[in-house]
Structures are given as C-alpha cells and as structure tokens.
Amino acid sequence: MSLDDLDPTLPLLTASGITKRFGDNEVLRGVNLEVQRGEVVVLIGPSGSGKTTLLRSLNGLEVPDEGTIEIRPDAPIVFDVGVGQSARDALRDRSAMVFQQHNLFPQMTVLQNVVEGPVRVQRVPRAEAEAQARELLERVGLAEKAQARPFELSGGQQQRVGIVRALALRRDLLLFDEPTSALDPELVGEVLKVIAELAAQGWTMVIVTHELAFARQAADRVVFLDGGVIVEEGTPEQIFTRPTQERTRKFLDRILRPLD
Ligand SMILES: Nc1ncnc2c1ncn2[C@@H]1O[C@H](COP(=O)(O)OP(=O)(O)OP(=O)(O)O)[C@@H](O)[C@H]1O
Ligand SMILES: [Mg+2]
C-alpha cells in the first residue's frame, strides 16, 4: 500500500484491459471500468454481452485471462501473469454480490441467513452479528421477519433479505446482477426502493439492470456493454436521451419498444 492509495479522490475500483475467454468465445475484450467511492454505476447491455462475467470477475468468482483489477487500498491484481487462489480470495473479500436469485438457505431463518457469512467466514461474534443483522433488517422493513423461514416470505421480501445478507458482509463494493428480474412485476418496486436508498446512503455499487426508470433516478453513470466491450458511458441523461453510438440507440429502442 502506498500513500497514493489513501487518496480518497482515487477510484475505489479500477479494472483495466479485462479480457475473458471461454474456449474460443472471447466474452470480455479489454474492458476498462473505474468506479469512484460512493458512485452508483448501472451496467446495461444485451444478453450475452458479458455483464455477469464482468461482475463475477470483479468479485473473484471468474478469473480473467488478461487485465488488472485494483480495489484500493489493495494492490492491483494482474491477471496476465496468472493468479493464485489467495489473490482471488482477496478480491472476493472486497465486494458482495446480490444475484438474480437470492440463494437463501431454506432451512435457516432470515436472521440465521444474514449472520451466516459474518459469523462463519468473518468470525464476527454472534451477538454482534445478530445485532447488526436486526438493524439492517429493520432498515429494509423486515424486522418482524427475523425468525421467519425464506418460504414464508414473498419473492420481494426474500430478495430484500438477499440484499441485507450482502450488506452484512460490510464490503466496500456492492455488485447487483439483475436483482429484480426474477420477481413478479408488482414486487420489483420494493426491491428497487431498497437499492435506491442504499445509493442515497453512499454505498458504492455496480448494478446490472434493465430497469431504466430506476437507472435514471439512482445511477450516477450508465455503462453500455456490447460484445464484451464498453461501447459508451455517461450520465443517465446522456445515455438515455442522446446516446452517441448507434449500437446504444438500437439497444435502448429494443428495451423501450420491444414489440416494434
Ligand atoms: N462458465 C461459462 N462457460 C462457458 N461460457 C460461458 C460461461 N459463462 C458465460 N459464458 C458465455 O459468455 C457469454 C457472456 O455471458 P454473460 O452471462 O456474461 O452475459 P450477460 O451479459 O450477463 O447476459 P444476460 O443478460 O443473458 O445475463 C455468453 O456467450 C455465455 O454463453
Ligand atoms: Mg447476466
């Protein structure tokens, strides 16, 4: 760690030249992405463009073939030279991911689901982890569900627990992969509301979503990924109302007018 790394004006995350191949399929082709502390970045792009692969790479679940990921103040991880498990673990410790499906443990209560990571993995004393979990559940309006099992909750409530579980890990970076796409339409709003509140509280987040109204409201920056490269990025206003790239325009047209 150098003195530069303590500079709060430096990005929390700098990913450069991220390339990932699955066999002959080059899924990410030199992605460069910076995220400032407290910034909310919404990542959009067609199916198969590499959004999930990029998030998984940032979280150490996928190992890029080339490129560098730096989450300050940790040292950069350079994938070109090959990395070991310890580098992946170090990366994983810096972010928490919320998936499309929440993957709650069905046999555990809501509270047990939330404290599992802090207690088992991070060795936080149980009483402390539970107090924190209850506070977080309260914040997302689920205080009274602490002793419920996942099957007793609606899909939206389950996904809010999934978010609390990620928050409880107290990581610097939150990664959301289409957090509302598995929900019934009437449940989408309550989950987006929680994510918007986190944005307002200053969490640093990268969110893959096709909820453009939400992106407009919550995102500081929108990044459009297509064919494994970032084609265009800018404020929601820039990207949604005057995109400069034809590919961005076509993609947005398809989302906004799917039946045309
Ligand atoms: N583990 C894997 N093995 C082989 N190919 C994979 C693997 N994971 C992803 N891919 C391929 O990588 C490409 C990008 O997939 P990815 O899941 O990152 O896209 P995406 O932008 O998240 O798409 P969607 O919007 O459908 O979720 C796809 O062609 C996919 O088939
Ligand atoms: Mg995906």
Side-chain angles (χ1 to χ4, degrees), residues 50-176:
K51 303 180 299 294
T52 295
T53 305
L54 179 58
L55 284 195
R56 288 172 55 83
S57 299
L58 298 177
N59 188 231
L61 290 169
E62 211 71 78
V63 182
D65 295 299
E66 288 155 39
T68 304
I69 296 177
E70 177 170 13
I71 303 183
R72 293 180 175 80
D74 290 347
I77 295 171
V78 183
F79 292 97
D80 309 53
V81 295
V83 299
Q85 187 62 40
S86 64
R88 293 177 67 181
D89 289 347
L91 207 48
R92 200 169 309 183
D93 283 349
R94 297 302 308 281
S95 62
M97 211 155 154
V98 175
F99 301 91
Q100 199 169 30
Q101 302 281 356
H102 50 73
N103 304 322
L104 298 177
F105 298 111
Q107 75 282 16
M108 292 186 188
T109 65
V110 163
L111 191 71
Q112 287 167 338
N113 265 283
V114 175
V115 301
E116 176 71 13
V119 169
R120 295 227 186 279
V121 184
Q122 299 177 324
R123 307 272 166 218
V124 175
R126 181 168 292 273
E128 184 186 325
E130 288 193 358
Q132 184 199 223
R134 286 182 192 281
E135 191 197 312
L136 290 170
L137 287 168
E138 169 101 50
R139 269 205 247 162
V140 303
L142 291 175
E144 76 286 4
K145 299 290 186 190
Q147 298 307 329
R149 312 259 162 192
F151 73 86
E152 298 172 291
L153 306 182
S154 73
Q157 290 170 336
Q158 290 177 24
Q159 190 60 312
R160 281 188 276 155
V161 175
I163 293 171
V164 164
R165 199 170 48 168
L167 296 179
L169 296 172
R170 293 188 275 196
R171 306 258 163 91
D172 290 326
L173 180 62
L174 295 177
L175 307 171
F176 294 83

Side-chain angles (χ1 to χ4, degrees), residues 102-256:
H102 50 73
N103 304 322
L104 298 177
F105 298 111
Q107 75 282 16
M108 292 186 188
T109 65
V110 163
L111 191 71
Q112 287 167 338
N113 265 283
V114 175
V115 301
E116 176 71 13
V119 169
R120 295 227 186 279
V121 184
Q122 299 177 324
R123 307 272 166 218
V124 175
R126 181 168 292 273
E128 184 186 325
E130 288 193 358
Q132 184 199 223
R134 286 182 192 281
E135 191 197 312
L136 290 170
L137 287 168
E138 169 101 50
R139 269 205 247 162
V140 303
L142 291 175
E144 76 286 4
K145 299 290 186 190
Q147 298 307 329
R149 312 259 162 192
F151 73 86
E152 298 172 291
L153 306 182
S154 73
Q157 290 170 336
Q158 290 177 24
Q159 190 60 312
R160 281 188 276 155
V161 175
I163 293 171
V164 164
R165 199 170 48 168
L167 296 179
L169 296 172
R170 293 188 275 196
R171 306 258 163 91
D172 290 326
L173 180 62
L174 295 177
L175 307 171
F176 294 83
D177 193 3
E178 303 203 38
T180 61
S181 59
L183 297 175
D184 289 339
E186 75 270 23
L187 301 177
V188 167
E190 67 187 60
V191 173
L192 292 180
K193 184 163 164 269
V194 166
I195 300 174
E197 282 164 7
L198 298 175
Q201 286 162 17
W203 286 83
T204 310
M205 311 196 275
V206 180
I207 308 168
V208 174
T209 183
H210 292 155
E211 298 287 343
L212 301 191
F214 163 80
R216 213 179 247 281
Q217 182 210 332
D220 295 305
R221 186 151 48 97
V222 175
V223 172
F224 174 58
L225 191 71
D226 192 13
V229 293
I230 292 177
V231 171
E232 183 165 8
E233 58 183 298
T235 63
E237 167 73 16
Q238 281 166 349
I239 299 297
F240 296 149
T241 57
R242 36 193 161 83
T244 64
Q245 302 298 311
E246 186 58 27
R247 283 155 83 184
T248 316
R249 222 168 292 147
K250 282 206 168 122
F251 172 73
L252 290 170
D253 268 359
R254 274 207 307 276
I255 295 195
L256 296 169

